[in-house]
Amino acid sequence: MPGAIYAEGLVKTFGDVRALDGVDLDVPEGTVLGLLGPNGAGKTTAVRVLTTLLQPDSGRAVVAGLDVVRQPNDVRRAIGLSGQFAAVDEYLTGRENLQMVGQLYQMSARDAKARAQQLLERFNLADAADRTAKTYSGGMRRRLDLAAALVVSPPVMFMDEPTTGLDPRNRQALWEVIEELVAGGTTLLLTTQYLEEADRLAHDICVIDHGKVIARGTSDQLKAQTGGERVEVVVHDAAHLTGATEIVRGFGKGEASVETHTRKITVPVAGGAKLLAEVIRELDTRGIEIDDIGLRRPTLDDVFISLTGHAAETENEAANETANEAERKENAK
């Protein structure tokens, strides 16, 4: 049985750009799917199709048991959406923005007011509640937009890079809100470029690139595909780089990479902290002094580079701009 969010063979093109190229998704009820990928990979386009803001050229998508093409109005009543950019009325106060959203969802004026106050406090906006949104900083507008998406508790939520631009304290607060929603049964599709965010929130992850899903699994499974744990050693003297590289390579499970200018050696390993102690012992035996040594897991960039061949925000930026321009023209029709 399809999950709360289900897509099969979604295709969406903008001119010569194939933003979605046969995307399949299946998100079980009450879970979080993290959708990761470089800029221009198709993440936002997928969200817009699933939330009825764009129609797919082909394929099928069902959200909360409703077909996004044939039942768009019903889908909109069943979902919440926080887009990549804050969508608030600049001429209303923060409080008025949230109360308006509540009344659009047919809440009573009293309930909308109470919910607005609750969210203003939760997102650290209570002190600015009665200022117009145009006086808010970018981070404050982002928090207000996120609060607006949570005025009601819909069964399915979509959040497109929700914590971009938030400081650590407000990012943490949003994570706690998301965890509460999911614990209450909400299904969430979350796009993000922060692996720590996917680590914390996502039950499963899909990596998308050039409009295709190229990998899926848990955060740990994706990290394992990039080589698992890695030992990093910084030698004190550049003259010892060659000798240290030979030693570290002997403990590794793949090729060692060497950064001459930082005197750093990195090699994929298996064995954890016990292995790290052995590396230190061998370096000491050979008289090689080190400035730093550590065991780390792959980062988001490691995952991106391993799976896509490029970093998160470089190669696809031109394609992203082309697709966005084509999408703007389509929406303006």
Side-chain angles (χ1 to χ4, degrees):
M1 182 176 177
I5 303 172
Y6 177 79
E8 182 179 1
L10 286 184
V11 173
K12 183 64 183 178
T13 59
F14 300 104
D16 295 331
V17 178
R18 202 169 179 86
L20 297 179
D21 192 7
V23 168
D24 298 330
L25 299 172
D26 194 355
V27 189
E29 185 175 339
T31 67
V32 180
L33 176 71
L35 195 59
L36 308 183
N39 286 342
K43 305 187 300 296
T44 296
T45 301
V47 168
R48 289 175 179 171
V49 168
L50 292 168
T51 56
T52 77
L53 298 178
L54 288 173
Q55 283 205 357
D57 297 328
S58 61
R60 176 171 174 256
V62 176
V63 175
L66 303 163
D67 189 285
V68 301
V69 174
R70 289 183 289 137
Q71 300 166 283
N73 291 332
D74 294 329
V75 170
R76 290 168 194 157
R77 282 190 284 268
I79 66 173
L81 168 64
S82 176
Q84 200 170 92
F85 303 100
V88 298
D89 190 320
E90 293 189 342
Y91 295 96
L92 296 180
T93 66
R95 188 187 309 280
E96 288 167 344
N97 265 284
L98 298 183
Q99 290 180 187
M100 177 185 69
V101 171
Q103 291 182 289
L104 287 172
Y105 274 102
Q106 299 182 338
M107 295 173 67
S108 70
R110 181 178 179 179
D111 288 345
K113 182 178 180 179
R115 181 59 173 159
Q117 181 62 33
Q118 184 182 52
L119 289 167
L120 288 164
E121 292 173 359
R122 189 62 188 268
F123 283 89
N124 299 313
L125 291 169
D127 290 344
D130 298 311
R131 283 168 39 195
T132 56
K134 67 180 178 180
T135 68
Y136 285 15
S137 68
M140 292 171 69
R141 291 189 194 194
R142 188 68 179 135
R143 278 146 49 202
L144 181 61
D145 181 67
L146 291 166
L150 298 172
V151 168
V152 295
S153 298
V156 180
M157 282 286 302
F158 294 86
M159 292 188 174
D160 193 4
E161 300 191 12
T163 60
T164 299
L166 296 186
D167 60 41
R169 182 183 66 167
N170 286 301
R171 181 175 295 162
Q172 179 75 27
L174 177 62
W175 289 353
E176 292 171 0
V177 170
I178 289 172
E179 287 170 336
E180 290 173 7
L181 284 171
V182 176
T186 298
T187 305
L188 173 65
L189 188 149
L190 169 76
T191 80
T192 181
Q193 294 201 39
Y194 297 117
L195 189 56
E196 61 174 331
E197 193 158 271
D199 273 334
R200 169 80 177 259
L201 300 174
H203 297 88
D204 287 293
I205 293 171
C206 280
V207 181
I208 187 171
D209 193 26
H210 296 293
K212 297 175 182 281
V213 174
I214 60 172
R216 65 181 77 214
T218 65
S219 178
D220 286 341
Q221 289 169 341
L222 292 178
K223 291 175 186 177
Q225 291 183 34
T226 68
E229 297 173 323
R230 299 167 186 223
V231 165
E232 289 186 348
V233 178
V234 178
V235 299
H236 181 71
D237 189 341
H240 289 150
L241 261 177
T242 301
T245 301
E246 291 176 0
I247 292 171
V248 177
R249 185 183 290 125
F251 290 94
K253 298 295 181 180
E255 284 300 311
S257 65
V258 180
E259 296 177 9
T260 305
H261 63 293
T262 59
R263 308 183 308 283
K264 183 168 75 174
I265 306 157
T266 304
V267 65
V269 298
K274 182 180 178 180
L275 177 70
L276 193 62
E278 294 175 5
V279 174
I280 294 171
R281 190 178 304 114
E282 184 64 23
L283 289 167
D284 187 56
T285 299
R286 295 276 291 273
I288 297 175
E289 185 179 354
I290 61 174
D291 288 342
D292 192 21
I293 187 167
L295 187 69
R296 73 171 179 86
R297 307 186 75 189
T299 64
L300 180 59
D301 279 345
D302 294 326
V303 173
F304 277 157
I305 292 170
S306 173
L307 294 173
T308 70
H310 53 81
E313 300 182 358
T314 55
E315 185 175 299
N316 276 358
E317 287 181 344
N320 186 47
E321 288 303 313
T322 301
N324 285 344
E325 180 61 25
E327 186 173 327
R328 284 191 290 268
K329 290 179 179 177
E330 177 170 305
N331 290 337
K333 292 179 181 179

